[in-house]
């Protein structure tokens, strides 16, 4: 009798042991001493300033975390793939990371263009994808348990902030939009157009588009000039925006410029120079790398120690965003515990409330209802050749989270 | 659309067309001499811009930078021709095309290793406030683009028409075997054609860098240069210039009338139409070899 019970107990224990062992063994990318993160973004092509910075910022954070003991006894490792800012290449990169490299989760430092190519696959696959930069609505809407957005915010939120800033703070009612034809700048232009209509019942006086790599914007600028706007909102990459700004001044256009967050950076200023004076826009980070804030100075010193030979213009916004977001992920991984699973990571991320690595980052909050980590942007303006904070605070209640209720 | 806008667009189209024309010329030169289309020509533009950036960083004024960049580019052209092209010059055209593509990728990748994709600028004396021509505005840099193209075409006309070496290049282009039998050192002619071509490419980089900023994609002009050359007939220097200017004007007016989508569509449509009606291009001989 006793022998039978003992055998029964042994069988149950053995089954539990095998099952628990199976759970750990089946969790890809997690070994007793490491957690493998797959990352992708553009490190070649016109948007490489995003991916290179994202990769470097993330690697620096991982090194710091590992040097401090890692995550519950495990070290983080990262495998990086180039997406060339292309949706198809991004999908190939993510499939490789998941199917061949068997990573535990995906950390995305791609732009919206690349990210959009991966969304359907990742949603279906169920692996956690933490998106640091892309603002395309499809990342977080419709809601998916495994998709998170960190440093950037959902593009309709851009629309809200842009519209409020332009209409209420700059008192502009005649606004022209000049945007690139790729996903991200087009989304920004759409969001501003929609929000100007929703909140203020006005439409842009002119909307024109350009292609990546364009070197002449005269046709678009002459169209805009004819509409006589008070502000010209430009959405795209700094290289094209700088040319457009210079050509606008050459055509005698004295309107103020407003730009998207990818351009609130030193890159635009070094290319556009005097033409950028007075330009305003929103930054995704509370402090730019040029800030004299002691925390930023200390971070900058660490960064320069890690990357002593990188060129002018770096670190940029994306170094900072990726760095801060890896810490958000690491914090959740710690709270997810030693027996790490995708479900536990999702639960830990959803419990993240106002977490930030320091003054260099905006706080991130996720809930069970929404996975938009950040709704705050910092208004900035170019004064004497430098981006400086503007005392603008949003007074209108955001509509973005209502749809998740 | 007012006359002012139409004329303003013409100025803009001619200035960007001048850049396409110079790239087109840089493509036609080695093709005429050795029958090879250099698909790395866009990256030669980039090379010129970055060499200017390096030299400016050393404190040299723009006017001192220009000859040094041209000398550096000529040296690069001769090295490419002597070490990479000449050993395989008798291989199938596809092999040669792939080699020039590879050269371009290597140049761009090497640049990215150090400068990544950040945008830089260099100071140049022709960058300044716009000139007012009545109601029209003209960026002095664009005037420099147009005048430079005119000067380059005139110089090439004199070189090919009256200089001994220029005539040797023309003879080699017509019949390399006969030219060699007449005592022309065709190896030197090939080297010179490549040197001239890379100098032209780097010259475009020198012109563009101060105006639009320097990044690894500054030389993203190969397709436009190719269209300019094809419109012109690929064997005619004057044709390449005409093709470049026509392309610049078409692109600018298409953008103004139909929007950004059609800015690229219309020139390609015209290219196809032109090739259907006149496969040898505007100024090419009917026996011109296909690129």
């Amino acid at each position: 009798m006793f022998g039978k019970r003992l055998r029964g107990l042994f069988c149950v224990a053995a089954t539990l042991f095998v099952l628990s062992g199976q759970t750990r063994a089946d969790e890809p990318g997690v070994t007793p001493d490491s957690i493998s993160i797959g990352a992708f973004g553009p490190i070649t092509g016109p948007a490489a300033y995003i991916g290179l910075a994202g990769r470097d910022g993330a690697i620096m954070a991982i090194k710091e975390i590992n040097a401090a003991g890692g995550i519950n006894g495990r070290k983080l490792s990262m495998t990086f793939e180039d997406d060339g800012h292309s949706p198809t290449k991004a999908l190939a990169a993510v499939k490789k990371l998941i199917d061949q490299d068997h990573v535990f989760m995906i950390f995305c430092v791609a732009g919206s263009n690349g990210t959009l190519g991966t969304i359907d696959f990742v949603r279906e696959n169920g692996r956690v994808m933490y998106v640091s930069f892309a603002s395309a609505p499809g990342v977080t809407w419709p809601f998916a348990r495994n998709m998170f957005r960190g440093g950037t915010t959902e593009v309709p939120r851009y629309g809200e902030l842009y519209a409020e800033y332009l209409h209420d703070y700059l008192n502009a009612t005649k606004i022209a939009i000049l945007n690139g034809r790729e996903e991200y700048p087009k989304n920004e232009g759409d969001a501003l157009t929609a929000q100007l209509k929703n909140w203020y019942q006005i439409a842009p006086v002119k909307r024109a588009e350009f292609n990546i790599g364009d070197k002449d914007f005269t046709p678009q600028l002459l169209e805009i000039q004819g509409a006589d706007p008070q502000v010209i909102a430009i959405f795209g990459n700094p290289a094209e925006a700088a040319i457009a700004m210079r050509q606008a001044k050459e055509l005698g256009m004295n309107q103020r410029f407003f730009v998207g967050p990818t351009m609130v950076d030193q890159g635009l200023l070094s290319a556009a120079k005097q033409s950028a004076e007075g330009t305003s826009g929103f930054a995704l980070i509370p402090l730019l790398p040029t800030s004299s804030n002691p925390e930023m100075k200390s971070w900058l010193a660490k960064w320069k120690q890690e990357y002593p030979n990188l060129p002018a213009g770096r670190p940029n916004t994306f170094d900072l965003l990726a760095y801060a977001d890896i810490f958000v992920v690491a914090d959740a991984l710690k709270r997810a515990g030693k027996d790490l699973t995708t479900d536990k990571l999702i639960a830990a991320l959803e419990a993240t409330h106002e977490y930030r690595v320091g003054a260099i980052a905006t706080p991130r909050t996720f809930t069970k209802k929404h996975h938009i980590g950040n709704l705050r942007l910092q208004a900035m303006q170019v004064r004497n050749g430098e981006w400086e904070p503007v005392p603008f605070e949003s007074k209108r209640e955001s509509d973005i989270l209502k749809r998740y209720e | 659309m007012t006359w002012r806008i139409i004329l303003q667009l013409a100025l803009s189209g001619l200035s960007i067309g001048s850049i396409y024309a110079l790239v087109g010329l840089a493509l036609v030169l080695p093709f005429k001499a050795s029958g090879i289309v250099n698909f790395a020509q866009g990256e030669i533009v980039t090379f010129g811009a970055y060499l200017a950036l390096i030299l400016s960083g050393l404190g040299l004024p723009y006017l001192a930078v220009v000859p040094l960049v041209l000398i550096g580019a000529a040296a690069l052209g001769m090295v490419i021709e002597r070490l990479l092209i000449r050993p395989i010059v008798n291989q199938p055209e596809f092999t040669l095309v792939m080699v020039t593509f590879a050269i371009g990728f290597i140049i761009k990748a090497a640049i990215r290793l150090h400068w990544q994709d950040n945008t830089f600028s260099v100071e140049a004396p022709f960058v300044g406030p716009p000139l007012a021509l009545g109601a029209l505005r003209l960026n002095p840099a664009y005037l420099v683009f147009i005048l430079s193209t005119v000067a380059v075409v005139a110089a090439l006309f004199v070189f090919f028409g009256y200089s001994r070496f220029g005539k040797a290049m023309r003879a080699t282009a017509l019949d390399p075997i006969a030219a060699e039998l007449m005592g022309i050192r065709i190896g030197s002619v090939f080297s010179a054609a490549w040197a001239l071509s890379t100098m032209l490419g780097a010259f475009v980089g020198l012109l563009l860098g101060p105006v639009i900023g320097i990044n690894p994609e500054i030389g993203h002009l190969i397709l436009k240069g190719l269209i300019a050359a094809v419109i012109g007939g690929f064997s005619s220097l004057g044709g390449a210039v005409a093709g470049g200017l026509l392309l610049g004007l078409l692109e600018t007016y298409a953008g103004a009338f139909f929007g950004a989508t059609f800015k690229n569509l219309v020139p390609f449509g015209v290219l196809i139409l032109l090739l259907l009606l006149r496969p040898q291009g505007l100024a090419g001989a009917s026996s011109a070899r296909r690129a």
Side-chain angles (χ1 to χ4, degrees):
Chain A
M1 184 70 187
F2 183 74
K4 269 186 182 177
R5 286 179 68 180
L6 196 63
R7 272 203 301 275
L9 276 172
F10 177 78
C11 285
V12 169
T15 308
L16 284 173
F17 176 78
V18 168
L19 281 176
S20 65
Q22 263 181 350
T23 307
R24 273 200 293 274
D26 285 349
E27 205 60 60
V30 181
T31 69
D33 53 7
S34 74
I35 301 167
S36 168
I37 297 174
F40 72 99
I43 57 170
T44 56
Y49 66 97
I50 298 174
L52 287 167
R55 180 194 65 185
D56 294 346
I59 288 173
M60 182 170 145
I62 286 172
K63 280 188 182 174
E64 278 182 36
I65 291 160
N66 287 343
I71 309 288
N72 301 323
R74 293 185 176 106
K75 301 284 184 195
L76 290 179
S77 67
M78 193 173 89
T79 308
F80 195 93
E81 292 292 328
D82 179 20
D83 74 8
H85 204 44
S86 146
T88 49
K89 284 186 188 169
L91 178 59
V94 168
K95 281 186 171 178
K96 177 186 174 285
L97 289 168
I98 290 177
D99 295 338
Q100 290 179 34
D101 299 329
H102 304 293
V103 297
F104 174 62
M105 63 167 288
I106 301 288
F107 186 74
C108 167
V109 291
S112 289
N113 224 36
T115 307
L116 274 181
T118 68
I119 288 175
D120 289 345
F121 175 76
V122 179
R123 278 171 180 265
E124 205 166 300
N125 178 276
R127 204 71 52 93
V128 167
M129 182 153 94
Y130 188 102
V131 175
S132 191
F133 308 157
S135 60
V139 173
T140 41
W141 180 260
F143 178 80
R145 270 195 82 224
N146 62 324
M147 304 286 289
F148 292 82
R149 192 199 308 274
T152 185
T153 190
E154 200 172 282
V155 79
R157 177 65 182 152
Y158 286 161
E160 290 182 344
L161 289 168
Y162 295 175
E164 187 180 352
Y165 178 81
L166 292 171
H167 188 273
D168 295 349
Y169 191 77
L170 294 185
N171 296 317
T173 51
K174 294 172 76 180
I175 297 155
I177 299 174
L178 175 63
N179 65 265
R181 294 179 59 232
E182 56 178 322
E183 190 64 29
Y184 174 67
K186 193 173 163 299
N187 284 343
E188 282 185 286
D190 288 346
L192 173 58
T193 305
Q195 214 54 43
L196 285 172
K197 188 180 172 197
N198 285 350
W199 280 356
Y200 304 105
Q201 292 76 50
I202 57 173
V205 289
K206 180 59 79 180
R207 184 160 176 190
E209 293 188 325
F210 58 87
N211 303 305
I212 291 183
D214 274 359
K215 291 175 172 55
D216 178 36
F217 297 82
T218 311
Q220 293 95 327
L221 290 170
L222 287 173
E223 265 190 89
I224 288 172
Q225 194 178 31
D228 192 26
Q230 295 160 297
V231 177
I232 304 171
I234 305 180
F235 305 123
N237 292 321
E240 286 94 15
I243 303 171
M245 285 177 170
R246 290 168 84 149
Q247 289 186 331
K249 297 295 179 197
E250 285 157 17
L251 290 169
M253 298 168 73
N254 293 314
Q255 284 89 349
R256 298 177 76 166
F257 297 114
F258 175 84
V259 295
T262 51
M263 286 183 276
V264 181
D265 213 286
Q266 283 305 110
L268 179 78
L269 303 186
S270 66
K273 294 191 170 166
Q274 194 58 32
S275 310
E277 195 62 27
T279 298
S280 50
F282 280 94
L284 293 166
I285 44 179
L287 301 168
L288 290 182
T290 47
S291 164
S292 56
N293 177 287
E295 267 196 63
M296 180 54 80
K297 280 188 163 177
S298 153
W299 182 84
L300 199 57
K302 276 193 295 186
W303 189 93
K304 283 185 174 165
Q305 199 176 357
E306 186 68 34
Y307 304 110
N309 297 318
L310 285 188
R314 293 281 307 279
N316 61 28
T317 300
F318 302 101
D319 286 271
L320 278 156
L321 283 174
Y323 175 86
D325 274 324
I326 283 288
F327 273 96
V328 177
V329 171
D331 175 65
L333 285 169
K334 266 184 200 159
R335 285 185 285 107
K338 181 81 178 164
D339 295 330
L340 187 58
T341 64
T342 292
D343 274 346
K344 285 180 180 173
L345 174 61
I346 290 173
L349 277 169
E350 286 178 337
T352 300
H353 182 72
E354 293 286 296
Y355 173 85
R356 64 174 176 171
V357 67
I360 60 167
T362 47
R364 317 285 201 256
T365 296
F366 302 106
T367 71
K368 285 185 185 304
K369 287 183 176 172
H370 81 84
H371 288 176
I372 307 172
N374 176 31
L375 288 170
R376 278 167 281 207
L377 302 179
Q378 172 66 51
M380 310 285 273
Q381 188 176 27
V382 182
R383 290 185 190 131
N384 301 316
E386 294 291 340
W387 285 106
E388 289 183 7
V390 171
F392 163 79
E393 284 198 22
S394 175
K395 294 184 176 69
R396 298 191 70 128
E397 191 190 352
S398 171
D399 293 333
I400 304 302
L401 298 183
K402 288 179 187 166
R403 63 183 174 180
Y404 293 94
E405 292 301 322
Chain B
M1 187 168 281
T2 64
W3 278 107
R4 183 187 78 83
I5 291 178
I6 288 170
L7 289 174
Q8 190 73 57
L9 289 169
L11 282 175
S12 175
L14 286 175
S15 57
I16 193 75
S18 300
I19 294 295
Y20 298 156
L22 287 174
V23 178
L25 277 176
L27 285 169
V28 168
L29 275 172
F31 180 77
K32 272 174 77 77
S34 56
I36 297 166
V37 180
N38 179 13
F39 282 93
Q41 198 56 253
E43 283 71 28
I44 301 294
V45 173
T46 311
F47 168 81
Y50 276 90
L51 191 51
L53 179 67
I54 294 169
L55 295 170
S56 299
L58 297 175
L60 293 174
Y62 186 79
L63 291 178
V65 165
V66 172
L68 293 174
V69 168
L70 295 181
I71 291 167
L76 177 71
M78 286 196 279
V79 168
I80 290 174
E81 192 278 333
R82 191 69 191 84
L83 298 183
L84 304 173
I85 302 296
R86 205 181 297 182
I88 56 163
V89 78
N90 293 321
Q91 298 299 314
E93 284 177 359
F94 183 72
T95 308
L96 291 162
V97 164
M98 290 316 292
V99 167
T100 62
F101 263 121
I103 292 167
F105 279 119
I106 289 168
I107 291 173
K108 201 146 68 172
I111 283 169
R112 281 204 165 99
L113 275 179
H114 183 68
W115 286 279
Q116 299 194 345
D117 277 67
N118 299 296
T119 302
F120 302 92
S121 63
V122 292
E123 300 297 333
F126 55 79
V127 176
L131 307 170
L133 304 171
L136 300 180
R137 298 272 183 151
L138 179 62
N139 182 336
Y142 294 167
L143 194 60
V144 170
F145 289 0
I146 297 169
L147 293 177
S148 298
T149 307
V150 172
V152 165
V153 171
L156 289 175
F157 179 76
V158 171
F159 176 72
F160 283 111
Y162 299 99
S163 80
R164 204 175 158 79
F165 203 76
K167 285 176 183 172
M169 284 177 86
R170 281 169 59 201
T172 308
L174 279 173
D175 190 337
I177 295 169
E180 197 165 20
L181 289 172
M182 297 305 289
I184 294 170
R185 292 164 62 193
I186 59 168
S188 304
V189 168
F190 287 167
S191 281
W194 274 79
L196 211 53
S197 153
T198 46
M199 277 170 77
L200 267 180
F203 184 55
V204 173
L206 276 167
L207 292 177
L208 279 178
V211 182
I212 67 170
I214 297 170
N215 64 51
E217 299 298 327
I218 188 176
H220 188 56
L221 291 160
I222 182 72
L223 204 57
K224 303 291 170 66
L226 203 58
I227 296 173
V230 171
I231 290 176
F234 230 103
S235 56
S236 159
L237 299 177
V241 174
L245 296 178
L246 182 65
L247 177 63
L249 288 169
L250 274 172
E251 215 182 61
T252 305
Y253 281 112
F257 283 105
F258 308 114
T261 313
F262 287 87
K263 195 175 170 186
N264 286 335
L265 201 64
V266 170
F268 281 104
V270 170
L271 175 72
I272 290 171
L273 197 66
L274 181 80
L275 290 179
L276 285 172
L277 297 173
R278 196 176 158 80
Q280 69 272 34
L282 288 178
S286 57
S287 59
R289 191 175 165 189
R290 265 183 242 167

